[in-house]
Amino acid sequence: MGAPGMELDDTDRAILRELQRNARTPFSEIARRIDMSSATVHDRVKRMEEEGVIRGYHAAVEPAALGLDIEAYVGLRIQQGASETVLEKLEGVDAVQEVVLLTGELDAMMHIVVENTQELRELMFDRIANIDGIDRSQTMIILGHEIESHELPM
């Protein structure tokens, strides 16, 4: 989850802003930008990692570059009491990039990537539809990423 009890000061927030812009920025460069020592930046980043404020670092890879030309969101209605089982089964599906639990009409939303419509059809009809506990699904193909940010406001 997160670190709700950890207090972040202005320096922590400045470091986080720099890391959100580019997580590959060397600590020495971040230190120069915020007028701190590299050791201070290193210690604070390590503390924020240990406390769960920084959840990880990863490369944002363009799915189409890997031949994954279809991205979609799939909304799910899950039978009451079946969420844990459904989530365990979805975790083993390579095409599933993310699953979030929701309030409202849908219980969960998946972000999936597949090569083509045939693979999407097989995923939905042969894999997802056969998971016990899923009442229905609604697939929405992503036509484009028009506004995208990985920077949280601070």
Side-chain angles (χ1 to χ4, degrees), residues 6 8-16 19 25-50 54 57:
M6 183 174 174
L8 299 176
D9 64 15
D10 289 343
T11 300
D12 293 327
R13 290 173 187 277
I15 292 168
L16 290 172
L19 288 174
T25 304
F27 291 162
S28 59
E29 177 62 20
I30 293 172
R32 186 189 65 71
R33 290 179 188 170
I34 65 170
D35 197 27
M36 290 276 155
S37 72
S38 292
T40 298
V41 171
H42 177 270
D43 291 344
R44 285 178 177 248
V45 168
K46 183 176 180 181
R47 179 178 50 87
M48 289 187 283
E49 289 169 345
E50 289 170 354
I54 297 174
Y57 305 90

Side-chain angles (χ1 to χ4, degrees), residues 47-152:
R47 179 178 50 87
M48 289 187 283
E49 289 169 345
E50 289 170 354
E51 292 289 330
V53 173
I54 297 174
R55 298 187 311 194
Y57 305 90
H58 56 272
V61 178
E62 173 58 45
L66 302 176
L68 301 167
D69 292 330
I70 305 281
E71 280 189 88
Y73 288 113
V74 179
L76 301 174
R77 284 291 311 210
I78 300 173
Q79 294 171 4
Q80 192 166 356
S83 293
E84 190 173 319
T85 303
V86 168
L87 291 172
E88 286 174 7
K89 293 204 169 133
L90 292 174
E91 195 170 11
V93 178
D94 288 341
V96 175
Q97 298 299 296
E98 179 181 30
V99 179
V100 295
L101 298 178
L102 305 170
T103 62
E105 288 295 312
L106 298 169
D107 300 308
M109 184 72 68
M110 297 187 305
H111 176 212
I112 62 169
V113 292
V114 292
E115 287 184 17
N116 52 44
T117 55
Q118 179 61 33
E119 189 178 340
L120 177 61
R121 183 182 191 287
E122 291 169 5
L123 174 69
M124 296 311 301
F125 291 154
D126 299 339
R127 303 243 358 233
I128 303 301
N130 290 323
I131 295 176
D132 288 334
I134 295 179
D135 279 337
R136 70 178 168 93
S137 67
Q138 179 180 358
T139 303
M140 297 155 278
I141 293 176
I142 298 171
L143 299 177
H145 295 270
E146 304 306 318
I147 300 172
E148 191 171 16
S149 175
H150 298 284
E151 293 183 32
L152 296 174

